[in-house]
Amino acid sequence: MKHSQLAAQLYTVRDYAKTTADFAGTMKKIKAIGYEAVQVSGIGPVPEDEIRRISEGEGLTICATHENGATIIDDVDSVIARLKAINCKYTAYPWPHIVPATHYGAVDMAKKLNASAEKMAAAGLGLCYHNHAIEFQRLDGELLLDIYYNNAPALLGEIDTFWVQAGGGNPVEWVKKLAGRMPLLHLKEFAVSGNDKRMSYIGGGNLDWKNIIAAGEAGGVEYYIVEQDDCNGMCPFEALKRSYDYLTENFVR
């Protein structure tokens, strides 16, 4: 992993990026930790020209965004315009605005995702899919996530390691499975506390990071994006720093 490939997901620090001024301060802190890229998600109504100006001013690449799922399906032209405005190549479908109840419905959803992915690809952009645990349910014996990828050839991947593990999958195997098709990889730690499963900073849990990163490198991952939805009382910036320190000490070359 190159240092320039390591990114911070701003959803981790969403409570500190609700205004343009807060966004500017947050980006300065992200840069001070050492990150060179960010994924824009969960922030407040910051104008697109300000997102780009502030990011470029800090020397931070906007490697990706998360856009509203319904908008991606129903108004992908607006997504394309937004990405162009902030100089960003990728977005990801972040959360299922519709959860299919049948295999037929899942295939239909995959076709809609594929249509948007094709339109974005024609504009030089990429549409990825960000999974949670819900995509590991089976419809007629097939995983929902498999139905999407098998029926949407233009759709790219953004595997989330925590949610794969929470859904009963193997993060290493899923990164391998999407080799050559996954420009974005969400690094999210899976930890155990008593009987509870929880998120943690990278290196503070139980995931097989050595083989996850190796699979990502072999499969052509472009950005390794650190995210921690719930910091369990820890300052989110401190959580991002601990993850950054662990990854740079062990995997950045």
Side-chain angles (χ1 to χ4, degrees), residues 13-216:
V13 291
R14 58 196 178 277
D15 292 337
Y16 302 88
K18 296 303 184 185
T19 68
T20 299
D22 288 345
F23 177 78
T26 287
M27 295 295 268
K28 189 175 292 293
K29 290 179 180 179
I30 295 294
K31 181 64 174 182
I33 291 171
Y35 289 97
E36 294 186 13
V38 294
Q39 180 172 27
V40 174
S41 175
I43 68 171
V46 181
E48 290 162 356
D49 59 340
E50 287 292 278
I51 292 173
R52 180 169 181 171
R53 180 187 67 80
I54 292 166
S55 301
E56 291 180 348
E58 294 295 341
L60 288 165
T61 298
I62 302 176
C63 66
T65 72
H66 275 169
E67 303 297 332
N68 178 270
T71 303
I72 288 172
I73 297 297
D74 299 328
D75 186 16
V76 71
D77 287 338
S78 70
V79 174
I80 291 170
R82 174 173 165 79
L83 294 186
K84 295 285 188 180
I86 63 175
N87 192 29
C88 176
K89 183 177 180 180
Y90 297 109
T91 194
Y93 182 95
W95 175 254
H97 73 293
I98 296 173
V99 180
T102 65
H103 192 280
Y104 175 85
V107 171
D108 182 64
M109 181 64 178
K111 291 179 179 178
K112 291 176 179 177
L113 286 165
N114 195 64
S116 293
E118 288 181 337
K119 198 162 189 178
M120 287 187 64
L125 307 172
L127 175 60
C128 305
Y129 190 92
H130 176 275
N131 68 276
H132 289 79
I134 196 168
E135 290 88 359
F136 286 83
Q137 63 180 297
R138 292 185 180 274
L139 297 173
D140 291 346
E142 187 176 8
L143 290 178
L144 178 55
L145 196 58
D146 275 327
I147 297 172
Y148 287 163
Y149 284 124
N150 290 340
N151 291 279
L155 184 65
L156 305 175
E158 185 185 55
I159 284 295
D160 184 297
T161 55
F162 175 93
W163 290 114
V164 168
Q165 185 75 26
N170 182 322
V172 176
E173 293 307 312
W174 269 94
V175 175
K176 290 179 178 179
K177 188 173 188 174
L178 294 179
R181 188 180 179 177
M182 187 169 66
L184 311 176
L185 174 58
H186 266 199
L187 307 185
K188 189 181 297 180
E189 183 66 278
F190 186 98
V192 175
S193 178
N195 291 323
D196 296 328
K197 313 300 188 298
R198 64 192 297 177
M199 297 173 188
S200 179
Y201 53 86
I202 307 301
N206 301 314
L207 293 188
D208 182 5
W209 293 112
K210 178 180 179 181
N211 286 309
I212 289 171
I213 300 299

